[in-house]
């Protein structure tokens, strides 16, 4: 069995359905075909709206259509417009689960988490699937605060998802393209320099997490916000703890969902060669 584990994160944009998730699944089939082609072992999804209905039917339909083994839904808080942007972690049959759950107490949406038994190593991979607050930079910093300990020596962990803030080393965008009512979710507080708020990612980086985009020099490759009048940026991230980073062998931004109109986010993947981990030696 190959020691390479593929991790993918993808924001589904209202679960691939029209009318804020209530309408026809015009984009669903294309999303499923695309994600199947990536052959993920660990798939972190965001904006899984209405996945909780009818016995979590959309969740189980996705697991089946993607040829995966199981999926876990993290049910989100309702927003002020009534949306519930759930997230989900789906797994191939190569991965075993030690524990899984969700936390929405301190999160604008929700944080789904799982502790996974790594195939062939006996090691434990801790994964956190995030969809951070899009409106309040101060809250984003609070949301990631409990996660910094996952970078402690020896802990194999990944923080993935739609972070809703720009990753490290991404060039400063021209925010003048956005109307004023959309700026507060992106910029530092009034009285500070009017540049991107990156506190959440910078705090994780200071704790030791490594942005996997740097492995192949793709820090400047945007992953989201490709619509007219928006500002493309890299906010779909895969961050690895120092103990896990030596296993990274590939990182890619997959533009198919954007190019085909399947989502306003690209998918991001990282390949981890578990044979490179010290405990696998």
């Amino acid at each position: 069995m190959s020691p390479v584990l593929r991790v993918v994160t993808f924001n589904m944009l209202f679960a691939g359905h029209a009318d804020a998730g209530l309408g026809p699944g015009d984009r669903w089939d294309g999303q499923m075909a695309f994600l199947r082609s990536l052959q993920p072992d660990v798939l972190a999804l965001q904006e899984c709206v209405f996945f909780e209905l009818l016995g979590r039917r959309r969740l189980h339909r996705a697991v089946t259509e993607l040829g995966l083994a199981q999926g876990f839904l993290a049910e989100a808080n309702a927003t002020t417009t009534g949306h519930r942007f759930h997230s989900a972690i789906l797994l191939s049959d190569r991965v075993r689960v030690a524990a899984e759950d969700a936390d929405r107490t301190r999160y604008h949406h929700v944080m789904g988490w799982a502790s996974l038994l790594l195939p062939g190593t006996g090691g434990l991979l801790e994964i956190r699937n995030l969809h951070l607050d899009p409106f309040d930079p101060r809250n984003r910093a609070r949301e990631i605060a409990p996660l910094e300990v996952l970078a402690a020596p020896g802990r194999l962990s990944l923080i993935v998802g739609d972070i809703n803030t720009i990753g490290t080393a991404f060039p400063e965008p021209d925010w003048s393209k956005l109307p004023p009512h959309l700026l507060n979710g992106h910029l530092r507080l009034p009285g500070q320099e009017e540049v991107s708020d990156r506190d959440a990612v910078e705090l994780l980086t200071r704790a030791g997490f490594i942005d996997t985009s740097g492995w192949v020099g793709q820090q400047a490759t945007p992953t989201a916000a490709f619509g007219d009048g928006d500002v493309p940026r890299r906010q779909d991230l895969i961050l690895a703890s120092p103990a896990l980073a030596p296993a990274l062998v590939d990182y890619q931004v997959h533009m198919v969902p954007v190019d085909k109109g399947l989502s306003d986010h690209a998918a991001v993947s990282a390949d981890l060669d578990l044979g490179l981990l010290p405990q696998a030696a």
Side-chain angles (χ1 to χ4, degrees):
M1 180 182 292
S2 170
V4 176
L5 192 80
R6 170 160 286 188
V7 178
V8 175
T9 181
F10 179 56
N11 184 312
M12 299 183 71
L13 182 59
F14 293 109
H17 285 64
D19 191 20
L22 288 168
D26 297 335
R27 293 175 286 107
W28 174 280
D29 290 343
Q31 289 182 355
M32 294 297 107
F34 161 69
L35 292 170
R36 259 195 320 272
S37 74
L38 296 184
Q39 297 184 300
D41 292 297
V42 179
L43 174 60
L45 298 174
Q46 303 88 44
E47 289 203 25
C48 303
V49 296
F50 300 118
F51 266 47
E52 84 283 12
L53 297 181
L54 299 175
R56 301 186 170 184
R57 181 175 294 182
R58 283 187 184 175
L59 171 70
H60 298 297
R61 179 184 172 195
V63 169
T64 299
E65 294 188 14
L66 293 173
L68 296 174
Q70 56 188 328
F72 303 100
L73 187 66
E75 296 193 19
N77 296 306
T79 68
T80 54
T81 56
H83 298 110
R84 296 182 69 199
F85 290 119
H86 310 308
S87 64
I89 297 174
L90 279 60
L91 304 170
S92 78
D93 59 6
R94 299 180 61 215
V95 182
R96 298 292 181 264
V97 180
E100 59 81 22
D101 209 334
D103 180 359
R104 61 173 179 257
T105 302
R106 60 173 61 90
Y107 292 91
H108 177 79
H109 292 306
V110 67
M111 180 197 69
W113 65 268
S115 297
L116 308 176
L117 300 171
L118 295 177
T121 72
L124 192 69
L125 172 64
E126 300 175 89
I127 185 168
R128 302 294 185 267
N129 184 13
L130 300 182
H131 187 188
L132 296 185
D133 191 332
F135 304 114
D136 187 350
R138 292 160 296 183
N139 195 39
R140 289 197 292 266
R142 288 190 290 267
E143 287 179 304
I144 62 89
L147 309 182
E148 297 167 345
V149 296
L150 295 173
R155 294 187 77 163
L156 304 176
S157 50
L158 286 171
I159 294 176
V160 307
D162 181 358
I163 310 299
N164 266 319
T165 191
I166 296 177
T168 56
F170 189 85
E172 184 65 24
D174 178 6
W175 291 110
S176 66
K177 298 178 181 178
L178 277 188
H181 72 280
L182 296 178
L183 287 175
N184 286 337
H186 302 289
L187 300 183
R188 292 180 176 174
L189 291 174
Q192 302 180 28
E193 185 180 4
E194 287 200 358
V195 296
S196 304
D197 175 272
R198 309 186 192 213
D199 284 357
V201 175
E202 289 176 351
L203 286 167
L204 290 171
T205 300
R206 188 167 69 183
F209 276 97
I210 296 162
D211 191 330
T212 57
S213 67
W215 190 86
V216 290
Q218 291 199 38
Q219 301 98 316
T221 304
T223 66
F226 298 102
D228 293 341
D230 211 335
V231 179
R233 49 194 179 267
R234 186 169 65 83
Q235 66 183 52
D236 302 88
L237 308 184
I238 298 178
L239 307 176
S241 66
L244 185 62
L248 182 68
V249 293
D250 194 25
Y251 166 94
Q252 294 184 55
V253 175
H254 304 270
M255 291 298 297
V256 170
V258 176
D259 295 340
K260 292 190 173 183
L262 302 175
S263 177
D264 54 353
H265 288 252
V268 178
S269 68
D271 289 353
L272 303 168
D273 186 340
L274 305 179
L276 298 177
L277 295 174
Q279 57 264 46

